[in-house]
């Protein structure tokens, strides 16, 4: 098992690098896109709400693999060339954004309605009240479930293996095929994923405990 | 209560250790021929995404192709007329781990006999002599392996030795590895690569499906296909080799080759037998 | 447009629905198994028997933090090494159940945690045993709060079955791939079909859950 790691160290590390890179990009963009759709879902204008709700419901109920393969196969054929890494990362971003939208929406809604009304009555605009009163309170509620979404995101980035995205899982499959030592290879790959996700998971539990008691 | 806890923990640890060490009797180590005779079937790993060799017919839900016919004929030749072949779908990616893991008795899935594979698997005599070639879009600038210079992208399939062959013959090109031939061909059609490289028999199958894509440049390797078995399955290997010779002698082999490959333009059946 | 008409031929639709049936079959079986195992594991982690609970917790964390794709691979390729040869459907069910049990165990644990401790104390002081209090007082309350997260987990499970295409489980996504593997013009129609079929199944699931939730809240 150790020789799998030492003989393929460079390959595995480059895979780990692509996994991290894809996860980070998807994390940033899904946070932005997700928050936008969360705000749309609770917007005062009905048609904006409908768009937000539809996006979230549709994306949430379709497998990530279908979304990603769609980008890999359909977009370059009709629109513009995207490689596997890009297609995978876009798929990951869109998929995760729907879950983040749900999490953020639930967080905002859990802040009492009175807070918004109070802020508006002292003369703040909707945007100001949202930014200065509701958001800071919502963030605390939202952080633990968001953390879980990020762990899911890192794990889900293994979808890149389906579209030749050079990530950890893809490199693992190639090493498994080259060495014919499937079992040990996936053991090593599994450990590398745990190196990424386990610390996140413990950090989240720590934050959760701290804030629930605080 | 305390004893119970310790006991439970010990059991759990043992299970984990057992799985990790892969102890216990692996299916792969049992005598496959004896097992096949007992169950009256041989479990074959076959392709389901490769025209001419093994392709799923969505109408009947059955896999069809030269290798499927061979698997059926060989099973009957080894075990008797009443026996039936059990077909399990594999890809280039999954066939070796599945065979080594013991999910299969034998693999007949466009698998080239190579020295690297012979270190971990046993092969029967060759039943088909293919050679690696290139499939490109009609009118493409790529005419042979020499045109695969820096900046080009070649699509291959994970777990197939054609990927290594491309890297040797055209070290400058980027190789993208996809999970199976269906996805590889779809990726080529989506413009994810300039050429798709694998064995000519498989490529002719794709070209037959979509005439907008052609096989170019002739073959640049020799790829003798063999049936792969787990190491140490000498009884099954001998039985299959004998059956293969019998099928060649009684004309069945010739008939099957003609059935699948006689009508393919540009394909020389003399070369493959 | 013609490609849509050709792609949705009776033969292909039939083949897609066959795949959908396998998806449903594997999902439902895995849901049942993971619900039972996940509840037991969640309780095991909650009851806080020193060492044992920590050990269960560690295993749950381990599984939760691995990609399902990897667990699928492991189950399919590793089980025969200890003498178990599984077909692709049972292997997928085992892998899904292992993964989803760990996810559900966490939901169950936090669900029980949310029930005020006074409830357990009150039940015990009324002469109930620990097990009785758990079964009759704590769990029913906890499950009510757990329904929404459990349902989203089940929706994930249905979607996640598509990952088993990697070990060639003949489910919906794989069948769609086989169809567009035969004719590239079917690619887009197949993706549309996949999106619609998964959406319908999962949306039905969440509507059903909403109905149950409403019933429970009225009762």
């Amino acid at each position: 098992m150790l020789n799998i790691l030492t003989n393929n160290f460079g390959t595995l590390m480059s895979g780990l690098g692509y996994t991290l890179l894809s996860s980070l990009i998807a994390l940033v963009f899904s946070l932005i896109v997700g928050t936008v759709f969360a705000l749309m879902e609770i917007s005062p204008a009905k048609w904006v709400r409908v768009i937000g709700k539809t996006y979230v419901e549709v994306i949430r109920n379709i497998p990530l693999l279908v979304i990603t393969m769609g980008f890999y196969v359909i977009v370059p054929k009709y629109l513009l060339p995207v490689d596997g890494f890009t297609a995978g990362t876009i798929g990951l971003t869109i998929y995760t954004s729907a879950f983040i939208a749900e999490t953020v929406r639930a967080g905002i809604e859990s802040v009492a309605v009175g807070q918004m009304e109070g802020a508006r009555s002292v003369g703040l605009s909707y945007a100001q009240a949202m930014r200065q009163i509701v958001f800071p309170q919502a963030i605390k509620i939202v952080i633990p479930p968001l953390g879980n979404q990020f762990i899911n995101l890192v794990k889900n980035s293994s979808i890149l293996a389906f579209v030749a995205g050079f990530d950890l899982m893809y490199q693992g499959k190639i090493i498994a095929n080259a060495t014919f030592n499937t079992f040990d290879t996936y053991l090593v790959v599994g450990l590398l994923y745990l190196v990424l996700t386990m610390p996140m998971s413990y950090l989240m539990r720590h934050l959760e405990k701290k804030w629930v008691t605080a | 209560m305390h004893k119970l806890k310790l006991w439970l923990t010990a059991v759990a640890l043992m299970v984990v250790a057992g799985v990790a060490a892969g102890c216990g009797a692996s299916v792969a180590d049992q005598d496959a021929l004896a097992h096949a005779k007992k169950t009256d079937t041989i479990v074959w790993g076959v392709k389901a995404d490769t025209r001419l060799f093994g392709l799923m017919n969505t109408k009947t839900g059955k896999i069809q192709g030269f290798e499927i016919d061979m698997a059926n004929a060989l099973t009957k030749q080894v075990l008797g007329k009443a026996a039936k072949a059990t077909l399990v779908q594999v890809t280039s990616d999954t066939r070796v781990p599945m065979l080594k893991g013991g999910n299969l008795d034998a693999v007949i899935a466009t698998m080239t006999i190579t020295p690297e594979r012979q270190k971990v698997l046993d092969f029967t005599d060759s039943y088909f002599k293919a050679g690696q070639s290139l499939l490109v879009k009609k009118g493409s600038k790529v005419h042979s392996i020499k045109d695969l210079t820096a900046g080009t992208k070649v699509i291959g399939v994970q777990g197939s030795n054609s990927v290594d062959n491309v890297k040797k013959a055209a070290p400058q090109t980027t190789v993208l590895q996809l999970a199976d031939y269906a996805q590889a061909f779809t990726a080529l059609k989506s413009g994810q690569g300039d050429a798709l490289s694998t064995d000519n028999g498989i490529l002719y199958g794709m070209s037959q499906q979509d005439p907008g894509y052609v096989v170019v440049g002739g073959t640049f390797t020799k790829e003798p296909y063999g049936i792969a078995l787990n190491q140490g399955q000498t009884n099954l290997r001998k039985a299959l080799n004998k059956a293969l010779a019998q099928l060649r002698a009684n004309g069945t082999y010739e008939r099957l080759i003609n059935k699948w490959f006689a009508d393919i333009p540009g394909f020389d059946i003399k070369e493959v037998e | 447009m013609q490609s849509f008409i050709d792609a949705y031929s009776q033969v292909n639709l039939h083949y897609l629905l066959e795949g959908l049936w396998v998806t449903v079959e594997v999902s439902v079986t895995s849901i049942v198994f993971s619900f039972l195992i996940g509840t037991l594991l969640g309780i095991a982690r909650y009851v806080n028997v020193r060492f044992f609970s920590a050990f269960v917790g560690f295993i749950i964390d381990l599984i939760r933090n691995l990609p399902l794709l990897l667990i699928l691979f492991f189950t399919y390729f590793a089980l025969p090494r200890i003498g178990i040869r599984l077909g692709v459907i049972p292997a997928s069910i085992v892998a899904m159940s292992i993964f989803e049990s760990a996810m559900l165990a966490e939901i169950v644990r936090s669900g029980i945690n949310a029930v005020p401790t006074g409830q357990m104390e009150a039940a015990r002081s009324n002469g109930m045993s620990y097990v009785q209090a758990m079964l009759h007082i704590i769990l029913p309350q906890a499950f009510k709060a757990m329904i929404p997260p459990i349902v989203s987990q089940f929706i994930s499970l249905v979607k996640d079955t598509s990952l088993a295409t990697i070990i060639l489980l003949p489910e919906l996504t794989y069948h769609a791939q086989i169809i567009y593997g035969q004719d590239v013009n079917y690619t887009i129609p197949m993706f549309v079909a996949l999106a619609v079929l998964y959406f319908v199944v999962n949306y039905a699931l969440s509507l059903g859950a909403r109905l149950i939730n409403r019933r429970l809240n009225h009762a």
Side-chain angles (χ1 to χ4, degrees), chain B residues 126-207:
Chain B
S126 171
Y127 63 89
F128 190 91
K129 291 189 177 58
Q132 194 171 336
S133 195
L134 297 174
L135 181 76
V136 298
K137 195 172 184 160
K138 230 177 210 168
S140 158
K141 274 180 265 174
V142 176
H143 300 291
S144 79
I145 187 82
K146 290 193 193 73
D147 298 324
L148 293 174
T149 48
T152 57
K153 284 182 188 161
V154 179
I155 296 167
V157 167
Q158 280 164 1
S160 88
N161 61 311
S162 53
V163 173
D164 300 318
N165 292 336
V166 169
K167 281 181 186 156
K168 269 179 222 148
Q172 299 286 326
T173 190
T174 309
V175 180
L176 302 175
Q177 304 190 31
L178 289 161
D180 57 43
Y181 288 113
Q183 287 187 18
F185 194 26
T186 310
L188 177 72
K189 289 175 165 177
S190 306
Q192 293 287 1
D194 303 294
L196 197 166
S197 184
T198 188
D199 304 334
N200 54 352
I202 301 170
L203 294 180
Y204 278 112
M206 293 178 182
S207 164

Side-chain angles (χ1 to χ4, degrees), chain A residues 10 28-29 43 54 74 94 106 140-141 159 182 184 189 198 207:
Chain A
V28 170
F29 284 100
S43 155
T54 312
I74 296 172
I94 291 180
K140 218 167 136 178
I141 301 165
I159 203 78
T182 319
D184 288 354
V189 169
M198 275 302 230
L207 284 182

Side-chain angles (χ1 to χ4, degrees), chain B residues 65-139:
Chain B
F66 171 66
E67 286 176 337
I68 310 305
D69 288 351
M70 284 296 287
N72 283 322
L74 285 168
T75 307
K76 289 194 191 310
Q77 197 72 32
V78 171
L79 298 178
K81 286 270 177 284
K84 275 209 173 86
T86 306
L87 303 176
V88 176
Q89 300 172 30
V90 298
T91 61
S92 302
D93 198 21
T94 58
R95 61 192 173 190
V96 176
M98 281 173 73
L99 181 63
K100 281 190 69 182
N103 301 60
L104 309 166
D105 293 323
V107 169
I108 182 163
T110 65
M111 196 161 177
T112 309
I113 307 169
T114 66
E116 292 84 28
R117 287 181 181 147
Q118 279 173 319
K119 281 181 203 155
V120 289
L121 301 170
D122 281 353
F123 282 94
T124 62
D125 299 334
S126 171
Y127 63 89
F128 190 91
K129 291 189 177 58
Q132 194 171 336
S133 195
L134 297 174
L135 181 76
V136 298
K137 195 172 184 160
K138 230 177 210 168

Side-chain angles (χ1 to χ4, degrees), chain A residues 124-201:
Chain A
L124 292 179
S125 74
Y126 182 82
Q128 279 173 327
M130 202 45 128
R131 207 170 51 232
Q132 290 167 17
I133 309 293
V134 179
F135 246 56
Q137 296 182 60
I139 279 181
K140 218 167 136 178
I141 301 165
V142 160
I143 292 267
L146 269 189
N148 288 332
Q149 290 304 335
F150 292 154
I151 296 171
N152 283 341
L153 177 93
V154 173
K155 292 192 297 172
N156 283 341
S157 69
S158 62
I159 203 78
L160 265 72
F162 275 96
V163 291
F166 306 114
D167 72 313
L168 186 53
M169 194 74 195
Y170 176 78
Q171 303 294 8
K173 279 172 76 179
I174 289 177
I175 295 168
N177 282 320
T179 58
F180 303 108
N181 199 343
T182 319
F183 191 78
D184 288 354
T185 309
Y186 289 129
L187 217 52
V188 170
V189 169
L191 285 176
L192 288 174
Y193 272 107
L194 288 179
V195 166
L196 292 181
T197 51
M198 275 302 230
M200 286 173 79
S201 171

Side-chain angles (χ1 to χ4, degrees), chain B residues 5 12 25 56 89 98 101-102 209, chain C residues 49 55 76 80 83 85 174 181-182:
Chain B
K5 270 179 270 169
M56 176 64 76
Q89 300 172 30
M98 281 173 73
Q209 173 201 340
Chain C
V49 179
F55 180 73
Y76 198 43
R85 183 188 274 191
Y174 181 68
Q182 314 215 329

Side-chain angles (χ1 to χ4, degrees), chain C:
Chain C
M1 211 49 319
Q2 189 58 39
S3 67
F4 274 82
I5 296 165
D6 293 342
Y8 297 152
S9 70
Q10 207 187 341
V11 170
N12 285 350
L13 283 183
H14 183 82
Y15 194 64
L16 272 184
L17 290 182
E18 259 176 41
L20 182 65
W21 175 242
V22 173
T23 296
V24 170
E25 207 177 25
V26 169
S27 302
V28 169
T29 321
S30 308
I31 282 175
V32 171
F33 279 129
S34 58
F35 185 71
L36 294 175
I37 302 170
T39 308
L40 287 177
L41 286 179
I43 294 173
R45 196 173 189 182
Y46 170 81
V47 291
N48 216 2
V49 179
R50 209 180 12 169
F51 217 53
F52 175 65
S53 295
F55 180 73
V56 170
F58 178 69
I59 297 291
I60 290 174
D61 279 342
L62 219 57
I63 294 171
R64 263 162 44 90
N65 282 298
L66 285 173
L68 174 60
L69 207 52
L70 203 67
I71 294 173
L72 274 166
F73 255 122
F74 253 128
T75 314
Y76 198 43
F77 297 137
L79 280 183
R81 281 178 66 146
I82 51 169
I84 306 164
R85 183 188 274 191
L86 287 181
V88 59
I89 291 183
S92 304
I93 291 172
V94 170
M96 304 293 298
S97 302
I98 290 175
F99 182 72
E100 303 295 343
S101 300
M103 301 304 257
L104 281 178
E106 265 310 278
I107 297 175
V108 170
R109 183 188 63 94
S110 48
I112 301 176
N113 264 339
V115 177
T117 38
Q119 299 272 343
M120 174 58 98
E121 283 156 17
R124 293 301 297 276
S125 69
N126 275 334
M128 281 189 174
S129 75
Y130 187 84
V131 175
Q132 279 175 325
M134 199 57 151
L135 277 179
H136 299 297
I137 308 293
I138 307 294
L139 280 182
Q141 292 184 61
F143 270 123
K144 217 160 138 179
M146 278 184 260
I147 287 178
I150 284 180
V151 171
S152 10
Q153 197 53 46
F154 286 159
I155 291 176
S156 291
L157 191 151
V158 174
K159 290 184 297 178
D160 286 345
T161 52
S162 67
L163 293 177
T165 51
I166 201 123
I167 56 169
L168 302 186
L169 177 70
E171 46 70 65
L172 182 54
T173 309
Y174 181 68
H175 273 204
Q177 283 177 358
I178 290 277
I179 293 172
Y180 74 72
Q182 314 215 329
D183 187 331
V184 76
N185 293 321
Y186 297 169
T187 310
I188 293 175
M190 280 307 121
F191 275 104
V192 172
L194 280 181
V196 170
L197 287 174
Y198 277 111
F199 181 81
V200 167
V201 171
N202 285 328
Y203 202 67
L205 207 60
S206 46
L207 282 185
R210 238 171 267 173
L211 208 72
I212 294 173
N213 222 0
R214 211 169 296 159
R215 281 268 167 82
L216 281 179
N217 284 340
H218 274 286

